[in-house]
Amino acid sequence: QVQLVESGGGLVQPGGSLTLSCVASGFSISSRYMYWLRRRPAKSLEWVSTIDPAGGSLYRPQVQGRFTFSRDNTKNTVHLQMDNLNSDDTAVYYCADDWPNVNNMGQGTQVTVSS
């Protein structure tokens, strides 16, 4: 069955960096748009970034220029490089295979930005 498994979260100081990964199984990501979503404390699920099959990406304005979405089709994996993190980036991050009508989403990985 379809499964998405995120990893790479953790505690980081403001200004720091993290790289999240999401391994997909049960389907091939090579022809699919993929998404990173997040749920900040006491907030609803929100869209963070999209990557198209060719590798082109879009970002919400708050992360534009700081986050980089990439894909490795040979490993059926996507990554989210997050730089210059701030407290507003604290959230559980999820990868998904659709947005806004989420079909499959992983269990999430916690990112906490704090000094």
Side-chain angles (χ1 to χ4, degrees), residues 36-112:
W36 281 101
L37 315 174
R38 69 184 181 187
R39 191 188 308 275
R40 294 187 291 159
K43 303 288 187 182
S44 58
L45 191 65
E46 63 186 22
W47 169 79
V48 176
S49 182
T50 302
I51 193 166
D52 66 31
S57 53
L58 294 172
Y59 304 90
R60 68 183 298 111
Q62 294 87 345
V63 309
Q64 178 76 47
R66 299 188 297 118
F67 288 14
T68 304
F69 198 164
S70 62
R71 63 194 303 152
D72 184 346
N73 292 337
T74 65
K75 296 181 180 179
N76 224 33
T77 299
V78 296
H79 304 283
L80 186 67
Q81 171 70 38
M82 306 186 296
D83 298 317
N84 195 21
L85 287 160
N86 60 62
S87 58
D88 289 337
D89 298 317
T90 293
V92 179
Y93 285 74
Y94 304 87
C95 69
D97 64 354
D98 206 351
W99 177 262
N101 299 312
V102 178
N103 189 22
N104 295 289
M105 189 169 78
Q107 83 291 344
T109 186
Q110 175 72 49
V111 172
T112 302

